[in-house]
Amino acid sequence: MTLVNDYLGPAGGGAWFSDAQWLQALLRFESGLARAQADCGLIPESAAQAIASACAQAPLDRDRIAEQARASGALGLALVKPLQQWLQAHAPQGLPWLHWGATTQDAVDTASALLTQQALLALLAELQALVDALLDLAARHAATPMLARSLLQPAQITSFGLKCAQSAAALQRSIDQLSQLAPQALCVQLGGAVGNGATLGTHRLAVEQALAQHLGLKACGHSWHTQRDSWMRLAMEVAVCCGSLSKLARDWSLMSQYEVAEISEAARGSTSSAMPHKRNPVHCMQAVAQTQAVPPLAALLLGCMAQAHERALGEWQAEVAHWPELWRHAHGAAAALRQAAQTLQVHPQRMLAHVAGLRGLVFSEACVHALAPFIGKHEALAAVEQLAPLALEQQRELQELLMEWVASRTAPELTTEQLPALCRALSQACDPQQAVQASQRECLALLASRSPTPMEESPAHAEQAQPCL
């Protein structure tokens, strides 16, 4: 993380792929591999203990490891060398068995899975907190009328609660998908030099299972050196989730504009160096900035799937280098919007004022439906089309203009006795509280259809499921 990146995300967020954590995860693989092989009776227990001691005590020089990896092109190999040196000096009985049956990609892929597991848990926690905040807003504002916009223009009436419930539902679907995809993606890698586990032979599956148990990952039963489909499906769902986060941030930032002012983020002091009056939607800005990089990043990661034969030359290395960015951006966007949602200030009167300012134009379709039983669909449509521009031009209510137009007609199909009924029909058609009922029903239906998620299961079940989530 750099200064220009750090202010766009939460404090302490996105650090699951730091140099120290990478080294620790690689050491966990080497130690876990030795213990798994000892469990399966393939190497002496004393050798496994020696390797575990080396992983715990060998001094690691980050710059030296980077230099060696640069020369060899293999990060895993650069880590093995200081372990070999420690074993040579302190416990030579473990030296022949260090990294036995594995290749450097086994170490890096498994380490990446370990780090991704932590990143996923952090992302799911932020997403669930955001969903909870959105559902709270949805419940409180299910019947709060506001303008729906189509092609950025006023359309009809919706409710702020429905907008929140729809975003919550989209993010909940991502939570569910990520939870389902994680067990297939977060697996140990143990294919050996060319993915067939030749050195371990018939013991490979048993060692893989034991290693998975030690590390809290899944054992998929096969090498995925250059078959990255399950791994990439997880990444692409993160990208889809970022799309939903970006949509929410975009909507809220537009609604936060001073000229709109339907919502605002909680006050946090000055947000402008030159204009003290400004109240910038900082959290929305952070979320937009974080998600902006995700589409090209997703394309880059997908492009890395074309890996030649049994081991990649460059594509896999590029994937490993850019993989952490996806998780940092997703977590940063979710955290920013979670903070915005938990303290969001909603301004229902401003929402109603925008409806009122259109002088009934957003009820044009409902007015046609109200008029049609009295004068016919074609005549009703023509009347609304003719009078709608006048409502804005004269700053008069469309309902009023329609009643004057109807009253001036002498057509036999409409009698004076029908005027009160038509007046009531038009009044209901132009009532925001009537118009919002459809959105209220949809909002309540979304709230009712929500099912418990893995993050909300019982503590015992959640604790049991966490290692492979």
Side-chain angles (χ1 to χ4, degrees), residues 137-170:
L137 288 168
R140 287 192 281 122
H141 294 283
T144 299
M146 65 171 292
L147 284 176
R149 277 94 176 183
S150 174
L151 281 69
L152 290 178
Q153 301 301 309
Q156 293 182 344
I157 299 297
T158 188
S159 79
F160 182 64
L162 177 57
K163 289 177 72 72
C164 292
Q166 288 172 326
S167 288

Coordinates of all heavy atoms in Angstrom, one line a residue, residues 137-170:
L137 N -32.2 0.4 6.2 CA -32.7 1.5 5.5 C -33.9 1.1 4.7 O -34.9 1.9 4.6 CB -31.6 2.1 4.5 CG -30.4 2.8 5.1 CD1 -29.3 3.0 4.1 CD2 -30.9 4.2 5.7
A138 N -33.9 0.0 4.1 CA -35.1 -0.5 3.3 C -36.3 -0.6 4.2 O -37.4 -0.2 3.7 CB -34.7 -1.8 2.6
A139 N -36.2 -1.2 5.3 CA -37.3 -1.4 6.2 C -37.9 0.0 6.7 O -39.1 0.2 6.8 CB -36.9 -2.2 7.4
R140 N -37.0 0.9 6.9 CA -37.4 2.2 7.4 C -38.0 3.1 6.3 O -38.8 4.0 6.6 CB -36.3 3.0 8.1 CG -35.9 2.4 9.4 CD -35.0 3.3 10.2 NE -33.6 3.2 9.7 CZ -32.9 4.2 9.3 NH1 -33.4 5.4 9.2 NH2 -31.6 4.0 8.9
H141 N -37.6 2.8 5.1 CA -38.0 3.7 4.0 C -38.8 2.9 2.9 O -38.7 3.3 1.7 CB -36.8 4.4 3.4 CG -36.2 5.4 4.4 ND1 -36.8 6.6 4.6 CD2 -35.1 5.3 5.1 CE1 -36.0 7.3 5.5 NE2 -35.0 6.5 5.8
A142 N -39.4 1.8 3.2 CA -40.1 1.0 2.2 C -41.2 1.9 1.5 O -41.5 1.7 0.3 CB -40.7 -0.2 2.9
A143 N -41.8 2.8 2.3 CA -42.9 3.6 1.7 C -42.5 5.1 1.6 O -43.4 6.0 1.5 CB -44.1 3.5 2.6
T144 N -41.2 5.4 1.5 CA -40.7 6.7 1.3 C -40.7 7.0 -0.2 O -39.8 6.5 -0.9 CB -39.3 6.9 1.9 OG1 -39.4 6.7 3.3 CG2 -38.9 8.4 1.7
P145 N -41.6 7.8 -0.7 CA -41.7 8.0 -2.2 C -40.5 8.9 -2.7 O -40.1 9.9 -2.0 CB -43.0 8.7 -2.4 CG -43.4 9.3 -1.1 CD -42.7 8.5 0.0
M146 N -40.0 8.6 -3.8 CA -39.0 9.4 -4.5 C -39.1 9.2 -6.0 O -39.8 8.2 -6.4 CB -37.6 9.0 -4.0 CG -37.2 7.6 -4.3 SD -35.4 7.3 -3.9 CE -34.6 8.4 -5.1
L147 N -38.5 10.1 -6.7 CA -38.4 9.9 -8.2 C -37.6 8.7 -8.6 O -36.5 8.6 -8.1 CB -37.9 11.2 -8.8 CG -38.8 12.4 -8.9 CD1 -38.0 13.6 -9.5 CD2 -40.0 12.1 -9.8
A148 N -38.1 7.9 -9.4 CA -37.3 6.9 -10.1 C -36.8 7.6 -11.4 O -37.5 8.4 -12.0 CB -38.1 5.7 -10.5
R149 N -35.5 7.3 -11.8 CA -35.0 8.0 -12.9 C -34.7 6.9 -14.0 O -34.1 5.9 -13.7 CB -33.7 8.7 -12.6 CG -33.8 10.1 -12.0 CD -33.8 10.1 -10.5 NE -33.9 11.5 -10.0 CZ -33.9 11.7 -8.7 NH1 -33.8 10.8 -7.8 NH2 -34.0 13.0 -8.2
S150 N -35.1 7.2 -15.2 CA -34.8 6.4 -16.4 C -34.1 7.2 -17.4 O -34.5 8.3 -17.8 CB -36.2 5.9 -16.9 OG -35.9 5.2 -18.1
L151 N -32.9 6.7 -17.8 CA -32.0 7.5 -18.6 C -31.7 8.8 -18.0 O -31.6 9.8 -18.7 CB -32.6 7.6 -20.1 CG -32.4 6.4 -21.0 CD1 -33.3 5.2 -20.5 CD2 -32.7 6.7 -22.4
L152 N -31.5 8.8 -16.7 CA -31.2 10.0 -15.9 C -32.3 11.1 -15.9 O -32.1 12.2 -15.4 CB -29.9 10.6 -16.4 CG -28.6 9.8 -16.1 CD1 -27.4 10.6 -16.6 CD2 -28.5 9.6 -14.6
Q153 N -33.5 10.7 -16.4 CA -34.6 11.7 -16.4 C -35.7 11.2 -15.5 O -35.8 10.0 -15.2 CB -35.2 11.8 -17.8 CG -34.2 12.3 -18.9 CD -33.6 13.6 -18.5 OE1 -34.3 14.6 -18.2 NE2 -32.3 13.7 -18.5
P154 N -36.5 12.1 -14.9 CA -37.6 11.7 -14.0 C -38.5 10.7 -14.7 O -38.9 11.0 -15.9 CB -38.3 13.0 -13.7 CG -37.3 14.0 -13.9 CD -36.4 13.5 -15.1
A155 N -38.9 9.6 -14.1 CA -39.7 8.6 -14.7 C -41.0 8.5 -14.0 O -42.0 9.1 -14.3 CB -39.0 7.3 -14.8
Q156 N -41.1 7.6 -12.9 CA -42.2 7.5 -12.1 C -41.8 7.5 -10.7 O -40.7 8.0 -10.3 CB -42.9 6.1 -12.5 CG -43.5 6.1 -13.9 CD -44.2 4.8 -14.2 OE1 -44.0 3.8 -13.5 NE2 -45.0 4.8 -15.2
I157 N -42.7 7.0 -9.8 CA -42.4 7.0 -8.4 C -41.9 5.6 -8.0 O -42.4 4.6 -8.4 CB -43.7 7.3 -7.6 CG1 -44.2 8.7 -7.9 CG2 -43.4 7.2 -6.1 CD1 -43.3 9.8 -7.5
T158 N -40.8 5.7 -7.2 CA -40.4 4.4 -6.6 C -40.2 4.8 -5.1 O -40.7 5.8 -4.6 CB -39.0 3.9 -7.2 OG1 -38.7 2.7 -6.6 CG2 -37.9 4.9 -6.9
S159 N -39.6 3.9 -4.3 CA -39.4 4.2 -2.9 C -37.9 4.1 -2.6 O -37.2 3.2 -3.3 CB -40.2 3.3 -2.0 OG -39.6 2.0 -1.8
F160 N -37.4 4.9 -1.7 CA -36.0 4.8 -1.4 C -35.7 3.4 -0.8 O -34.6 2.8 -1.0 CB -35.6 5.9 -0.4 CG -34.1 5.9 0.0 CD1 -33.1 6.1 -1.0 CD2 -33.7 5.6 1.3 CE1 -31.8 6.0 -0.7 CE2 -32.3 5.5 1.6 CZ -31.4 5.8 0.6
G161 N -36.7 2.9 0.0 CA -36.5 1.6 0.5 C -36.3 0.5 -0.5 O -35.5 -0.4 -0.3
L162 N -37.0 0.6 -1.6 CA -36.9 -0.4 -2.7 C -35.5 -0.4 -3.3 O -34.9 -1.4 -3.6 CB -37.9 -0.2 -3.7 CG -37.9 -1.2 -4.9 CD1 -37.9 -2.7 -4.5 CD2 -39.0 -0.9 -6.0
K163 N -35.0 0.9 -3.5 CA -33.6 1.0 -4.1 C -32.6 0.3 -3.1 O -31.7 -0.4 -3.6 CB -33.3 2.5 -4.3 CG -34.0 3.1 -5.4 CD -33.7 4.6 -5.5 CE -32.3 4.8 -6.1 NZ -32.2 4.5 -7.5
C164 N -32.8 0.5 -1.8 CA -31.9 -0.1 -0.9 C -32.0 -1.6 -0.8 O -31.0 -2.3 -0.8 CB -32.1 0.5 0.5 SG -31.6 2.2 0.7
A165 N -33.3 -2.1 -0.9 CA -33.5 -3.5 -0.9 C -32.9 -4.2 -2.1 O -32.4 -5.3 -2.0 CB -35.0 -3.8 -0.7
Q166 N -33.1 -3.5 -3.3 CA -32.5 -4.1 -4.5 C -31.0 -4.2 -4.4 O -30.4 -5.2 -4.9 CB -33.0 -3.3 -5.7 CG -34.4 -3.4 -6.0 CD -34.9 -2.4 -7.1 OE1 -34.4 -1.3 -7.1 NE2 -35.8 -2.8 -7.9
S167 N -30.3 -3.2 -3.9 CA -28.9 -3.3 -3.8 C -28.5 -4.3 -2.8 O -27.5 -5.1 -3.0 CB -28.3 -1.9 -3.3 OG -28.4 -1.0 -4.4
A168 N -29.2 -4.4 -1.7 CA -29.0 -5.5 -0.7 C -29.1 -6.9 -1.3 O -28.3 -7.8 -1.0 CB -29.9 -5.3 0.5
A169 N -30.1 -7.0 -2.1 CA -30.4 -8.4 -2.7 C -29.2 -8.7 -3.7 O -28.8 -9.9 -3.7 CB -31.7 -8.4 -3.5
A170 N -28.7 -7.8 -4.4 CA -27.6 -8.0 -5.3 C -26.4 -8.4 -4.6 O -25.7 -9.4 -5.0 CB -27.4 -6.8 -6.2

